[in-house]
Amino acid sequence: MQAILDATASQGEPIQELLVTHGKIPTLVEELIAVEMWKQKVFPVLCRLEDFKPQNTFPIYMVLHHEASIINLLETVFFHKEVCESAEDTVLDLVDYCHRKLTLLVARSGRGGPPEEEESQYSTPIQELQKQAELMEFEIALKALSVLRYITDCVDSLSLSTLNRMLTTHNLPCLLVELLEHSPWRRQEGGKLQQFEGGRWQTVAPSEQQKLSKLDGQVWIALYNLLLNPEARARYCLTSFAKGQLLKLRAFLTDILLDQLPNLADLQGFLAHLALTETQLPKKDLVLEQIPEIWERLERDNRGKWQAIAKHQLRHIFSPSEQDLRLQARRWAETYRLDVLEAVTPERPRCAFCSAEASKRCSRCQNEWYCCRECQVKHWEKHGKACVLAARGDRAK
């Protein structure tokens, strides 16, 4: 939350500086992949256990949400190149992570797009959790796209192993072309075009439909970085398949798009040249390179133990006593304070009496905001009755 506040205010970003200074980016990447593996290997087993009937599913939801929190933080701080450099060898693991998420995103769009956000018809808390996890996966994949684009901004400082992983092992340029073709962040609903932005689906006005979305822009910039950087271009093998995929981009490079991202004129020139170029055979050079190790290590260390891990966590973590649950709830309440969350939103609260920017809230009902004590006193004659009723309602709940 603090990192987002700093980025929004554009007044220095101490969180990013602290993460780099204390070498915490590799820790975050490892944690991100550990939660991803937990969701794939342990969570499904946990849901199938006969004695898994939790009274409260919030502790499990917080684990599911942890992956989204980390990728959100990484998206915020990876804007700065020194953060990418401080990731060191774990940037390989992060590239693999982003590739997994984007591959799932393309596969999902082939099945008709992301899951609907309609009210759940599911009857059990576990099914509701599974639905929430699936919805969250879509947003996580979009964040991974932004992180990948920021990594491509650092092509000049990436290791040869990382470049080879992006261009040869995963063939990211072709994957990005598929993303542009499917645009899973866009859909038709009731005859209207909708776009996923700011965490929700929003209807796009006809006059705005030609406007480049942030997600489309991320894909184009990543492609520009991977195809036009001299170091990357020298290492990318333009096979007949790659050439066929990349030439599909010409259909998207309209005058309207070029007006919005003028640098893409260079990409247009590259594609015109590519159309006349002979394709290359896949390279078979013997190359010694680093490989990502976090996923492999976690899987190797825990292979065959997923059932035991699920049972252990059910007993010791996801079946808290009422007292433990209250302590956890207090910690969460202190972490996710309403005043901090509201500070993240673009619209700041206004004083109920004079409409100035407000920083104090009515302590009884928590509904009205004031800029100072004097305004609260003056407004009490009007607010008092509603305040008492609201406070009573909260106590009844």
Side-chain angles (χ1 to χ4, degrees):
M1 288 188 291
Q2 189 59 49
I4 292 169
L5 277 173
D6 293 338
T8 306
S10 300
Q11 295 177 347
E13 299 188 25
I15 300 298
Q16 165 247 317
E17 291 165 12
L18 285 167
L19 289 171
V20 171
T21 303
H22 294 283
K24 291 297 181 183
I25 297 298
T27 307
L28 283 173
V29 174
E30 175 138 5
E31 186 85 350
L32 180 72
I33 293 168
V35 181
E36 180 198 20
M37 181 166 283
W38 182 89
K39 282 168 66 176
Q40 281 192 30
K41 306 287 188 180
V42 180
F43 182 54
V45 176
L46 200 61
C47 292
R48 290 196 299 268
L49 292 177
E50 289 182 10
D51 50 348
F52 185 51
K53 296 171 185 175
Q55 294 180 334
N56 193 305
T57 56
F58 199 61
I60 305 167
Y61 177 79
M62 290 304 288
V63 179
L64 293 170
H65 191 266
H66 192 49
E67 184 184 4
S69 298
I70 297 173
I71 194 68
N72 204 354
L73 176 58
L74 290 177
E75 182 200 27
T76 304
V77 299
F78 257 76
F79 175 78
H80 303 275
K81 291 189 177 183
E82 58 267 28
V83 174
C84 185
E85 290 165 7
S86 75
E88 299 174 343
D89 294 344
T90 60
V91 76
L92 274 166
D93 298 273
L94 191 54
V95 164
D96 267 30
Y97 172 87
C98 294
H99 175 259
R100 287 193 294 272
K101 294 299 176 185
L102 297 187
T103 303
L104 287 171
L105 194 58
V106 169
R108 172 176 285 164
S109 64
R111 299 196 306 267
E116 294 295 324
E117 294 175 292
E118 59 194 25
E119 287 188 22
S120 177
Q121 304 292 317
Y122 300 108
S123 55
T124 69
I126 300 308
Q127 288 170 324
E128 179 61 28
L129 264 179
Q130 290 169 323
K131 178 70 173 176
Q132 287 173 338
E134 192 180 355
L135 283 166
M136 214 180 293
E137 194 64 30
F138 175 65
E139 293 191 53
I140 287 169
L142 298 183
K143 298 289 181 186
L145 170 60
S146 295
V147 171
L148 182 67
R149 175 252 143 140
Y150 292 136
I151 292 173
T152 67
D153 284 346
C154 305
V155 161
D156 289 327
S157 59
L158 293 176
S159 68
L160 294 181
S161 297
T162 306
L163 267 180
N164 191 61
R165 196 88 185 162
M166 295 168 79
L167 298 169
T168 306
T169 309
H170 296 318
N171 200 348
L172 287 180
C174 288
L175 180 60
L176 292 169
V177 171
E178 285 196 66
L179 270 177
L180 276 180
E181 280 189 297
H182 291 97
S183 292
W185 46 84
R186 205 176 287 120
R187 70 182 187 187
Q188 289 288 336
E189 194 72 20
K192 294 182 178 178
L193 178 67
Q194 290 190 334
Q195 201 158 267
F196 195 85
E197 204 165 317
R200 61 193 177 90
W201 288 102
Q202 301 180 39
T203 300
V204 183
S207 59
E208 297 286 307
Q209 289 183 9
Q210 296 294 328
K211 189 177 176 182
L212 185 69
S213 73
K214 180 185 173 185
L215 289 162
D216 283 305
Q218 299 285 43
V219 179
W220 281 112
I221 294 169
L223 279 166
Y224 181 92
N225 290 336
L226 290 173
L227 295 174
L228 295 188
N229 177 276
E231 184 71 29
R233 195 195 295 192
R235 301 197 165 274
Y236 187 47
C237 185
L238 288 164
T239 62
S240 56
F241 171 76
K243 179 178 177 180
Q245 287 293 100
L246 294 177
L247 289 179
K248 292 178 182 179
L249 293 172
R250 292 189 296 181
F252 296 98
L253 286 165
T254 61
D255 291 341
I256 295 171
L257 177 62
L258 292 171
D259 284 343
Q260 295 174 77
L261 267 181
N263 285 359
L264 293 184
D266 295 335
L267 182 60
Q268 193 176 43
F270 165 78
L271 294 172
H273 177 72
L274 176 63
L276 305 172
T277 306
E278 291 292 323
T279 58
Q280 302 168 314
L281 292 172
K283 294 176 183 175
K284 295 182 179 179
D285 298 337
L286 180 63
V287 179
L288 292 175
E289 60 175 293
Q290 287 176 288
I291 57 170
E293 58 90 29
I294 296 174
W295 179 276
E296 294 290 337
R297 170 167 48 80
L298 290 172
E299 194 170 40
R300 184 178 62 248
D301 292 350
N302 297 288
R303 191 172 289 125
K305 301 177 185 175
W306 307 119
Q307 183 95 5
I309 291 170
K311 288 181 177 178
H312 175 83
Q313 292 183 346
L314 174 59
R315 267 196 316 275
H316 300 285
I317 299 169
F318 299 129
S319 301
S321 66
E322 195 168 326
Q323 185 181 359
D324 289 339
L325 205 52
R326 282 180 181 172
L327 285 170
Q328 284 184 341
R330 192 177 302 153
R331 280 179 53 214
W332 291 325
E334 288 169 357
T335 303
Y336 298 99
R337 295 195 311 276
L338 279 173
D339 56 337
V340 177
L341 288 173
E342 277 163 351
V344 177
T345 62
E347 288 188 19
R348 302 300 300 275
R350 296 281 167 182
C351 177
F353 184 75
C354 72
S355 298
E357 193 170 292
S359 59
K360 305 177 189 304
R361 191 200 293 265
C362 175
S363 59
R364 178 182 286 183
C365 70
Q366 299 284 311
N367 288 336
E368 293 287 13
W369 286 84
Y370 299 98
C371 61
C372 61
R373 174 72 179 162
E374 289 75 15
C375 279
Q376 186 174 8
V377 171
K378 290 174 185 174
H379 191 245
W380 178 251
E381 187 178 347
K382 183 177 179 182
H383 172 58
K385 194 171 180 180
C387 180
V388 171
L389 288 171
R392 278 182 193 161
D394 286 341
R395 279 201 296 274
K397 287 176 189 173

